[in-house]
Amino acid sequence: MRLSRLSRWLLWLALAAGLAVIYVPLLVVLLNSVNADRTFGWPPSGLTLRWWGAAWASSGVREALWTSVRAGLGATAIALVLGTMAAFAVQRYRFFGRDAVSLVIILPIALPGIVTGIALNNAFRTVLEPFGVGLGLFTVVVGHATFCVVTVYNNVLARLRRTGMSLEEASADLGAGPFTTFRLVTFPMIRSALLAGGLLAFALSFDEIIVTTFTAGAGVRTLPIWIFENLFRPNQAPVVNVVAAALIVASVVPVYLAQRLSSDVGAH
């Protein structure tokens, strides 16, 4: 069914409005990060990079950055391991294509972040705290990994759906064992999908909102938590904008690389 000219214009207008809602606030953050007196005029006055130097000179920002990087790397590593194991299970036990199984696997970690955060927090305090395991960086990593793994899993599953199981079946017919088939056939096919999922997982692990209910009591200050703590302190406002702008800019890199890798995967 072809759209009328008016319908096409309305569609483009709705798309432009949606993009404006997403990107205009981000643009304001970027402008405020190089605007010393935080005025909202156009063009912004007082453009300077001195707040970037002040942000890096802050020990609180550096510690929060290091914590975020460690939590992101830990969560991504867990997600990649679990994604690889899921790919092996798909190849070995042939539940590929059974949507009910996939739904059962990913549903608990695809629920709204606050709900899952509350559940994780309750489970942690009930099961591990009696054994002396307290909240800390480990729990932050687990909280992030719970959400990151679904990104990697979906990437791998999408790749396997595009390729089918014919090569694995041929390898099995030639006498190769499941591990040999996975190492020589399946893993090369999903390598790009795993890397793309890992990059997205690393970027996702800097989004503290989805796991803040679980990690807020851990006493660990990540960059998003540092932003929340300093957001309404007048003397910290310029530095908060700098840290927020840095997160925006830095997140573009892994997301862009993941997109290119996903495009390469689709081309094969």
Side-chain angles (χ1 to χ4, degrees):
M1 182 178 67
R2 298 187 62 181
L3 294 175
S4 67
R5 179 173 297 182
L6 177 59
S7 298
R8 287 199 298 269
W9 276 106
L10 290 175
L11 184 62
W12 281 109
L13 183 61
L15 177 61
L19 292 175
V21 169
I22 295 172
Y23 286 103
V24 168
L26 301 182
L27 180 61
V28 172
V29 170
L30 292 170
L31 289 175
N32 283 341
S33 71
V34 291
N35 190 0
D37 52 12
R38 290 175 47 76
T39 58
F40 288 90
W42 186 269
S45 60
L47 289 178
T48 177
L49 293 178
R50 69 187 179 93
W51 291 117
W52 286 76
W56 182 247
S58 168
S59 60
V61 173
R62 293 199 306 271
E63 291 173 4
L65 172 63
W66 176 230
T67 300
S68 287
V69 170
R70 285 186 295 163
L73 291 175
T76 303
I78 293 173
L80 287 173
V81 169
L82 293 179
T84 305
M85 292 172 62
F88 175 75
V90 167
Q91 172 242 306
R92 177 68 178 86
Y93 299 106
R94 309 301 171 122
F95 62 73
F96 170 71
R98 297 181 187 175
D99 293 331
V101 175
S102 299
L103 178 65
V104 168
I105 291 173
I106 69 174
L107 182 59
I109 50 181
L111 292 172
I114 293 177
V115 174
T116 309
I118 293 172
L120 284 171
N121 197 297
N122 290 338
F124 184 89
R125 294 182 183 279
T126 302
V127 177
L128 295 181
E129 277 196 347
F131 295 95
V133 181
L135 293 167
L137 180 62
F138 170 74
T139 54
V140 174
V141 172
V142 171
H144 283 301
T146 304
F147 291 87
C148 291
V149 68
V150 74
T151 303
V152 177
Y153 177 82
N154 282 340
N155 253 41
V156 170
L157 203 62
R159 174 58 173 157
L160 290 174
R161 285 185 183 280
R162 285 197 294 268
T163 57
M165 304 293 290
S166 57
L167 292 176
E168 286 87 344
E169 291 169 354
S171 177
D173 290 341
L174 292 173
F179 288 103
T180 301
T181 298
F182 181 79
R183 181 172 60 88
L184 297 179
V185 178
T186 308
F187 186 76
M189 290 192 303
I190 67 169
R191 187 165 45 199
S192 295
L194 274 172
L195 183 55
L199 288 167
L200 289 172
F202 184 74
L204 177 66
S205 65
F206 281 82
D207 182 4
E208 192 68 33
I209 294 175
I210 60 174
V211 289
T212 192
T213 310
F214 178 47
T215 63
V220 176
R221 183 178 288 108
T222 59
L223 277 180
I225 289 179
W226 186 92
I227 291 174
F228 295 155
E229 289 179 350
N230 292 274
L231 190 58
F232 299 106
R233 296 180 183 177
N235 60 326
Q236 287 290 87
V239 180
V240 167
N241 275 283
V242 167
V243 176
L247 280 177
I248 293 170
V249 174
S251 66
V252 170
V253 177
V255 172
Y256 174 75
L257 292 176
Q259 181 190 34
R260 290 301 303 268
L261 282 168
S262 298
S263 300
D264 292 342
V265 167
H268 294 318

